Amino acid sequence: MAVRSLLLCCLGLGFLSSSLGPGFLSSCLGPCPLDAAPAAESAPFHRLGRANFTCWTCRALFTALDFALQLKPGTDEMGFVAMELCIHLKLASQNICVQAIELFEHDVISAWVNSILKPSEICGLLVGSDCGHWDIYSNWSVALPSTPKPPVVPPKPPHPEAPITRVLSLTDVHWDKDYTVGSNPNCRDPLCCRSGSGMPPSHQRGARRWGEYSKCDLPLRTIENLLQHLQSQHYDVVYWTGDIPAHNVWHQTRGDQVLALNTITQLIRRYLGNATVYPSVGNHESTPVNSFPPPFIHGNDSSAWLYSAMAQAWKPWLHQSALDTLRRGGFYTAKVQSGLRLVSLNMNFCSHENFWLLVNSTDPADQLHWLVNVLQEAEQCGEKVHIIGHIPPGLCMKVWSWNYYRIVNRYEGTIAAQFFGHTHVDEFEVFYDEETLSRPLSVAFIAPSVTTYINLNPGYRIYQVDGNYPGSSWAVLDHETYILNLTQAYVSGRPSWTLLYRLREAFSMNWSFPADFDDLITRFQKHEHLFQLYWFLYHKGHTSELCRDTCKTAVICALRTGRSDDPKLCRDLLEGLEYRHVQRFWKLRRMC
């Protein structure tokens, strides 16, 4: 039973870790192999010392499990054991354990049954490379056209009187329809401030009207107040980069997700009027969370229910060709202005937490192949491209991230900017040339969240972009970040969305081109006060702690790492620290 419980913890409960918090996964008696790096370096059962888990035992066990699942895929034995384990280890309350396992059980088992996992392969992962070859996430490569890369013209400042396009960025709204004023903001559950959170102790205050500094999402009134405020702001286009529902991932239905999608979409249309909005798909849009099967999975297991609902909700903003690829795989391209094309990627196809990638992780949905074709056509037509998505590339699976990095390198003259969300905080990732990893050539801007989760002020951003005129670069020139300071709101008695900072002004940057961000990272290393200012703004103006030593190394390493799991990008930062230790430290801080 002990061995089986360990296996189920990592294979079943491990998929919940990113949403139920770092403690959920770490309670599985050690690191889950699915989140560990190379199999040769991770023999988790030997480290745990809980069972004499030999290669022979592993192969025999998984051969039996695989045979049983093939004969009876609907078996609930795995779910029952995982439920017992969740409760026994106190990973969450009994109610949440039961609901979470019931919600995830069918999809996880379906993904396993449909996958090409063999006992020898999974034992190569769990026990070590001597027991089998693990290559489910092995290297693959997207072919690039033979057309030579055009000469690269470094970005340059526009004429002082050149027109500026203002891009409103909204991300990670996370509306909680069960947010309840007066409820406990410090409950045991992964999400609090809601009707099931109970009442706070008598000496502590309950959840307040506009939001709370805790592991809480937002009431609808705060989101509506933001959109009312945005009516007075000037912007030309909106990039909306995903995550609409709340973090109650243990108890969500497809109806709940569609309700959240339609409610927030209708509010945006109501208050932002004629603005064109370009959305992308977040990892919380589906249920179970992170569950995004590739398009060849049909029937009730497919994502057709979600993509169809999105196409219906967003059709006032998108043309038919965009709606067609949205329905197929959750991604699309659209022409924004003359000379500017937008690409909206479904970044769930690069996610470690998307357990459906066990079925096929090689360019899922052929999305990167499609991206190359779009970029090649844009290059030939003289168009610039903005890429939007939810999960930043540096947080993706390694092989996906490295392919994407190569694509950005090839089309650096076409890709004018990249915009992402997901982490809830204010950061960026710099891309460098593949040959020397020294010449900065692109920046992935990562905008702060609308939600407070966890312990943040609500926020949004407006980018100033070079355009709209013939020959404009469509590069980001500057950006402004606005917040709702909850502390001040409760002192004054009313919410007020105010400017937190302007990028170039705050950090004394000449411009916001890739070279300027590379220079900023260097200055973070040299000037402690500048880095601690960044750390304060990173948290949207709500943190009392300082970030030093390993924390600082991990932060700066993350800013350089647009390419996932690449020690070379941080080689001059480590100074005796192990790269994997730095990455592990940062990963635990960034779970959201």
Side-chain angles (χ1 to χ4, degrees):
M1 172 65 85
V3 171
R4 182 173 62 174
S5 296
L6 287 169
L7 294 171
L8 289 169
C9 174
C10 291
L11 290 173
L13 302 182
F15 292 119
L16 295 168
S17 62
S18 65
S19 299
L20 293 183
F24 192 89
L25 182 59
S26 62
S27 296
C28 284
L29 310 179
C32 178
L34 289 180
D35 285 330
E41 299 180 28
S42 70
F45 294 103
H46 293 310
R47 288 202 305 268
L48 293 172
R50 292 295 185 95
N52 183 21
F53 198 75
T54 65
C55 179
W56 182 90
T57 304
C58 179
R59 289 196 177 199
L61 176 62
F62 271 95
T63 298
L65 281 174
D66 185 61
F67 184 68
L69 284 172
Q70 295 294 339
L71 288 178
K72 191 179 179 184
T75 180
D76 58 0
E77 180 184 1
M78 291 183 68
F80 176 75
V81 176
M83 201 178 299
E84 283 187 327
L85 179 65
C86 179
I87 296 169
H88 177 72
L89 295 179
K90 295 181 171 58
L91 306 184
S93 67
Q94 180 172 339
N95 182 53
I96 289 180
C97 284
V98 170
Q99 293 182 76
I101 299 303
E102 287 180 346
L103 180 61
F104 276 76
E105 179 185 10
H106 172 78
D107 286 63
V108 171
I109 292 178
S110 294
W112 187 1
V113 170
N114 280 281
S115 75
I116 57 174
L117 279 173
K118 299 176 182 177
S120 61
E121 291 174 321
I122 198 164
C123 290
L125 171 70
L126 295 178
V127 180
S129 58
D130 290 342
C131 189
H133 179 57
W134 168 259
D135 63 356
I136 298 300
Y137 299 144
S138 61
N139 288 337
W140 46 267
S141 182
V142 172
L144 296 176
S146 59
T147 308
K149 178 178 178 178
V152 176
V153 179
K156 59 182 181 180
H159 188 276
E161 296 181 359
I164 301 296
T165 294
R166 291 173 63 86
V167 177
L168 169 63
S169 173
L170 298 174
T171 192
D172 296 272
V173 173
H174 289 293
W175 164 47
D176 187 356
K177 61 184 177 63
D178 293 323
Y179 187 98
T180 303
V181 173
S183 62
N184 188 0
N186 298 301
C187 69
R188 184 188 170 198
D189 295 345
L191 182 65
C192 301
C193 298
R194 43 203 336 264
S195 55
S197 301
M199 301 302 292
S202 57
H203 62 282
Q204 294 180 3
R205 68 166 183 253
R208 294 175 289 181
R209 179 174 176 77
W210 301 105
E212 198 56 69
Y213 293 128
S214 189
K215 48 181 180 178
C216 304
D217 282 321
L218 288 179
L220 194 62
R221 69 175 65 88
T222 307
I223 300 167
E224 190 164 10
N225 182 267
L226 165 61
L227 296 173
Q228 290 170 341
H229 157 77
L230 287 172
Q231 289 180 309
S232 63
Q233 292 286 88
H234 168 62
Y235 47 87
D236 302 288
V237 67
V238 183
Y239 293 168
W240 181 19
T241 51
D243 270 13
I244 306 169
H247 285 83
N248 60 322
V249 299
W250 65 92
H251 189 214
Q252 293 176 334
T253 66
R254 291 181 176 182
D256 293 330
Q257 309 308 84
V258 173
L259 173 65
L261 165 71
N262 289 334
T263 300
I264 303 304
T265 298
Q266 289 167 11
L267 274 181
I268 290 175
R269 291 181 59 195
R270 173 183 172 186
Y271 287 105
L272 302 192
N274 296 324
T276 300
V277 180
Y278 295 99
S280 60
V281 183
N283 63 303
H284 278 265
E285 264 70 278
S286 185
T287 184
V289 65
N290 302 312
S291 175
F292 290 85
F296 60 77
I297 299 294
H298 300 292
N300 194 52
D301 286 339
S302 77
S303 293
W305 66 273
L306 177 62
Y307 299 150
S308 295
M310 288 176 169
Q312 182 64 30
W314 297 341
K315 66 181 181 180
W317 298 324
L318 302 176
H319 292 294
Q320 188 59 49
S321 60
L323 294 173
D324 290 343
T325 55
L326 176 64
R327 285 192 179 94
R328 188 181 74 85
F331 51 87
Y332 64 87
T333 182
K335 189 170 184 177
V336 180
Q337 303 273 9
S338 177
L340 176 64
R341 175 163 296 279
L342 177 128
V343 169
S344 177
L345 295 177
N346 185 348
M347 300 299 286
N348 296 291
F349 290 136
C350 81
S351 172
H352 294 274
E353 284 75 32
N354 183 3
F355 47 84
W356 280 100
L357 296 188
L358 289 170
V359 178
N360 177 33
S361 64
T362 302
D363 192 13
D366 292 325
Q367 181 177 219
L368 290 183
H369 176 75
W370 169 86
L371 172 63
V372 168
N373 289 337
V374 172
L375 292 173
Q376 183 61 39
E377 184 176 342
E379 179 180 277
Q380 293 169 352
C381 296
E383 293 179 323
K384 298 296 183 180
V385 172
H386 283 175
I387 295 177
I388 68 171
H390 184 64
I391 301 172
L395 296 182
C396 290
M397 293 173 56
K398 180 176 179 178
V399 62
W400 197 101
S401 177
W402 285 52
N403 271 281
Y404 180 80
Y405 205 90
R406 187 164 59 96
I407 293 169
V408 172
N409 263 256
R410 166 59 183 83
Y411 292 100
E412 65 169 299
T414 297
I415 300 171
Q418 306 174 60
F419 306 90
F420 298 92
H422 182 62
T423 68
H424 294 195
V425 290
D426 185 343
E427 52 186 331
F428 58 89
E429 293 174 353
V430 178
F431 287 61
Y432 296 87
D433 70 290
E434 288 190 299
E435 290 76 19
T436 67
L437 295 179
S438 62
R439 181 177 64 86
L441 55 83
S442 187
V443 176
F445 294 90
I446 305 171
S449 63
V450 174
T451 186
T452 55
Y453 190 92
I454 301 176
N455 206 32
L456 299 168
N457 286 308
Y460 72 91
R461 171 168 292 166
I462 293 181
Y463 294 94
Q464 287 81 52
V465 175
D466 176 32
N468 171 28
Y469 61 91
S472 57
S473 69
W474 293 104
V476 172
L477 304 176
D478 203 352
H479 65 62
E480 304 163 352
T481 299
Y482 294 80
I483 62 167
L484 168 58
N485 189 312
L486 290 177
T487 301
Q488 294 178 4
Y490 292 126
V491 169
S492 66
R494 61 183 181 84
S496 178
W497 297 83
T498 57
L499 176 68
L500 177 63
Y501 78 102
R502 291 185 177 88
L503 174 69
R504 288 166 54 193
E505 178 183 52
F507 297 116
S508 301
M509 299 171 68
N510 292 326
W511 291 96
S512 57
F513 301 142
D516 298 292
F517 277 96
D518 180 60
D519 174 70
L520 181 61
I521 293 173
T522 300
R523 290 191 287 132
F524 282 163
Q525 295 175 258
K526 295 179 179 179
H527 305 294
E528 186 67 17
H529 72 281
L530 190 66
F531 176 78
Q532 297 303 336
L533 171 63
Y534 170 77
W535 187 244
F536 175 75
L537 298 175
Y538 169 96
H539 288 97
K540 290 184 282 181
H542 188 256
T543 183
S544 58
E545 64 176 7
L546 296 178
C547 177
R548 303 184 187 277
D549 304 322
T550 305
C551 173
K552 182 176 179 179
T553 299
V555 171
I556 294 177
C557 181
L559 298 181
R560 284 186 177 174
T561 316
R563 186 162 71 180
S564 173
D565 193 20
D566 186 2
K568 292 182 180 179
L569 290 162
C570 304
R571 57 184 177 268
D572 63 329
L573 300 172
L574 301 178
E575 297 181 358
L577 294 171
E578 291 186 6
Y579 175 71
R580 296 203 180 282
H581 172 68
V582 171
Q583 291 294 89
R584 190 178 305 115
F585 176 88
W586 194 238
K587 182 176 181 181
L588 289 175
R589 296 195 64 97
R590 292 169 68 142
M591 283 187 171
C592 60

